[in-house]
Amino acid sequence: AQSVTQLDSQVPVFEEAPVELRCNYSSSVSVYLFWYVQYPNQGLQLLLKYLSGSTLVKGINGFEAEFNKSQTSFHLRKPSVHISDTAEYFCAVSELWGKFQFGAGTQVVVTP
Amino acid sequence: EAQVTQNPRYLITVTGKKLTVTCSQNMNHEYMSWYRQDPGLGLRQIYYSMNVEVTDKGDVPEGYKVSRKEKRNFPLILESPSPNQTSLYFCASSLRSRAGDQPQHFGDGTRLSIL
């Protein structure tokens, strides 16, 4: 069965500093991986996805993630954050037939 | 505008009083799903539907029912709500029934409080 672990519940970061959000997953089959962002009082929006191919995936708003099959990880990075990146971030994994697992979320707080 | 619409957005009700949260999408998506979001637990999948008349359980289906009679609608039914179902609920949809590789479009959420 698939599962997802986000290793940090909260990540404080200064504006213009880099940030990395860690995500590990477990699955007995091939998976698809996603990162979503949730701004206050809103639904989730897709940041990026890994389906196959290149292990470095670029998404919206300057985010990127790297799929590492041997370490079963899918960490999210941004080289320079803005105040507007303050939000909760969710890693998600899906096996083929419609079941999704989300991590518990990482709250990113960007301060000036 | 492409969207997933949930109603109501907020509801306070009492234990045992049946309620339905509606979800509608205008994108002709095959796949739809319901989640609940609780602090520290992230989103947990309740039910999903690969297409009309096809539904299946997610990780936390107890106490919930769904139906998919039309492609665009996927209501969530709580026959006898209990306080442990107090949560923030999200409906989502994606294009194809082979949904694993499709990103989901989320509604804005329904906050349920059951007293």
Side-chain angles (χ1 to χ4, degrees):
Chain A
Q2 61 193 19
S3 66
V4 181
T5 302
Q6 290 185 241
L7 297 163
D8 307 290
S9 60
Q10 188 168 40
V11 173
V13 58
F14 288 110
E15 193 174 18
E16 297 183 9
V19 70
E20 178 180 81
L21 308 183
R22 298 179 293 168
C23 173
N24 286 93
Y25 70 93
S26 66
S27 176
S28 57
V29 300
S30 296
V31 296
Y32 303 114
L33 295 157
F34 305 84
W35 275 99
Y36 288 86
V37 60
Q38 184 180 35
Y39 299 105
N41 300 314
Q42 294 186 25
L44 280 70
Q45 301 172 29
L46 180 72
L47 279 177
L48 49 80
K49 60 187 178 186
Y50 172 78
L51 306 181
S52 64
S54 173
T55 58
L56 184 63
V57 180
K58 293 193 183 298
I60 63 171
N61 300 340
F63 284 94
E64 63 180 33
E66 185 153 19
F67 170 61
N68 187 319
K69 189 174 182 179
S70 62
Q71 297 188 4
T72 61
S73 68
F74 190 55
H75 300 336
L76 180 72
R77 301 184 184 96
K78 185 170 183 178
S80 176
V81 297
H82 304 289
I83 295 289
S84 59
D85 292 321
T86 294
E88 190 154 24
Y89 294 78
F90 292 95
C91 181
V93 61
S94 177
E95 296 174 352
L96 280 180
W97 302 113
K99 291 198 78 171
F100 283 83
Q101 291 265 349
F102 282 77
T106 298
Q107 181 68 45
V108 172
V109 180
V110 182
T111 53
Chain B
E1 180 188 353
Q3 57 186 2
V4 178
T5 303
Q6 297 178 227
N7 280 296
R9 293 291 314 281
Y10 304 91
L11 179 63
I12 301 174
T13 187
V14 296
T15 299
K17 185 177 181 182
K18 180 180 178 180
L19 68 91
T20 299
V21 184
T22 63
C23 175
S24 180
Q25 51 92 5
N26 62 359
M27 296 169 281
N28 202 35
H29 283 174
E30 290 184 347
Y31 176 93
M32 298 185 75
S33 184
W34 275 104
Y35 299 88
R36 59 178 290 174
Q37 182 179 10
D38 301 289
L41 297 177
L43 278 77
R44 292 178 292 168
Q45 193 172 35
I46 303 171
Y47 271 96
Y48 62 96
S49 170
M50 304 292 268
N51 214 324
V52 176
E53 301 293 358
V54 181
T55 62
D56 212 340
K57 295 177 181 179
D59 289 327
V60 289
E62 296 78 18
Y64 304 95
K65 287 176 57 177
V66 293
S67 68
R68 187 95 182 272
K69 294 185 172 60
E70 307 165 280
K71 199 170 190 179
R72 65 182 291 129
N73 296 323
F74 191 45
L76 179 70
I77 303 157
L78 285 71
E79 294 267 4
S80 183
S82 62
N84 65 10
Q85 293 177 298
T86 292
S87 188
L88 178 59
Y89 290 85
F90 287 100
C91 181
S93 71
S94 64
L95 181 61
R96 293 200 302 259
S97 59
R98 180 173 164 151
D101 63 350
Q102 293 292 306
Q104 295 180 77
H105 299 259
F106 283 81
D108 286 334
T110 295
R111 189 167 290 282
L112 285 183
S113 293
I114 300 164
L115 307 176

